[in-house]
Structure formats: structure tokens, C-alpha cells
Amino acid sequence: MRIALYQPDIPGNTGAILRLAACLGFTVDLIEPAGFDLSDRNLKRAGMDYIERAALIRHSSWEVFERWRKGEGRRLLLFTTRAEARYTEFGYSKGDILLFGRETVGVPDNVHHAADARLVIPMQQGARSLNLAMSAAIAAGEALRQLG
């Protein structure tokens, strides 16, 4: 499975997700531009020595990523607060890509509509959003649980 990050803003979150991916055997697709330099020390600090073990693929734009994804025939699962389907009620497959938007603004409508499924992690009323790295961990955990 894969985790895709759409133009991430916060290097610490990306580093934590790279560490998560290295430990769980996920590949991370980073859809540029990122809001930080990939050599950022916060990225390295959050990822610790796991960054060298993480499989990171950089895509220069959304369009480049989409061409690659469609060519691979992979489903794109967007995690968003604008969804109604709960992430625990969805059936995951090994080739799925779990997509997460920018910490500040999520994803634009064209990316939202391109997803094969839009999933939400339910929260208490009044809560705006979870930390991006926590959301990725929750989603990856459920996908792995289902797939054994």
C-alpha cells in the first residue's frame, strides 16, 4: 500500500509519516510542491534515522502523479473532513493509495473529485481536524487490519 501527501506544509508531519511508512512497509508518494525544502531539519528530526529506510517517490505535480496512478490502475482513497463514508466501513485493497491533503487547506476540488473514494475519520462535534501524521497512522492501521 501507499500513502500520498498532496503538497504537504509541515515538515514534521511528513517526517513522522515517512517513519510510519518505513516501519509498516508503505511507500510514500509526495505530490509537489511541498511547503518546505525536503532537506529541512524538522523533516529529518521527525523521521529520525527511518527516513533512509522509507520508500519515498516524488511527483513534480498533481498531473504527473495522476498519470502515474492511472497507468498503474490504483485506487485513490482521499481522507477528508468533507466525506460521509467512514474509513472503518470501507474495504481496502493491497494496491490502494491513501491520500492526505495539505495541513492548511486540504485538497482542491479537482483532486477531491478525482478520488475513487472519499473517507472520513469521525471526530467529536466541533473538532476541526486531526494532525496529519495521526490521520495517516489511523488510516494505515485500519487498512492493515483489514488486509491482515
Side-chain angles (χ1 to χ4, degrees):
M1 293 194 79
R2 302 172 86 96
I3 295 173
L5 304 176
Y6 180 86
Q7 301 179 355
D9 291 321
I10 301 173
N13 283 335
T14 300
I17 291 168
L18 286 168
R19 182 176 180 177
L20 172 77
C23 290
L24 298 181
F26 281 62
T27 297
V28 175
D29 292 284
L30 193 142
I31 303 163
E32 296 181 336
F36 53 88
D37 186 326
L38 287 178
S39 64
D40 189 289
R41 68 180 173 87
N42 291 326
L43 173 72
K44 292 179 181 175
R45 183 173 52 215
M48 297 176 62
D49 57 337
Y50 292 89
I51 286 182
E52 287 109 30
R53 299 180 66 181
L56 173 64
I57 307 296
R58 295 168 64 179
H59 303 272
S60 60
S61 68
W62 166 253
E63 294 76 19
V64 168
F65 170 78
E66 261 301 82
R67 276 195 303 278
W68 168 82
R69 178 186 74 86
K70 288 180 178 179
E72 292 283 313
R74 293 177 180 265
R75 287 192 310 180
L76 186 64
L77 315 178
L78 174 63
F79 286 78
T80 173
T81 57
R82 296 192 294 159
E84 294 185 16
R86 292 173 177 249
Y87 79 106
T88 53
E89 296 170 355
F90 184 81
Y92 298 86
S93 298
K94 286 192 182 221
D96 287 344
I97 300 171
L98 313 178
L99 175 63
F100 299 87
R102 296 177 71 182
E103 291 93 338
T104 54
V105 296
V107 298
D109 286 342
N110 67 312
V111 173
H112 193 271
H113 296 303
D116 297 298
R118 286 157 291 285
L119 306 170
V120 66
I121 300 169
M123 296 178 288
Q124 294 293 310
Q125 190 170 4
R128 286 180 316 183
S129 65
L130 291 165
N131 172 279
L132 183 67
M134 289 186 170
S135 296
I138 290 168
E142 176 62 17
L144 288 174
R145 183 193 70 78
Q146 286 187 23
L147 296 173

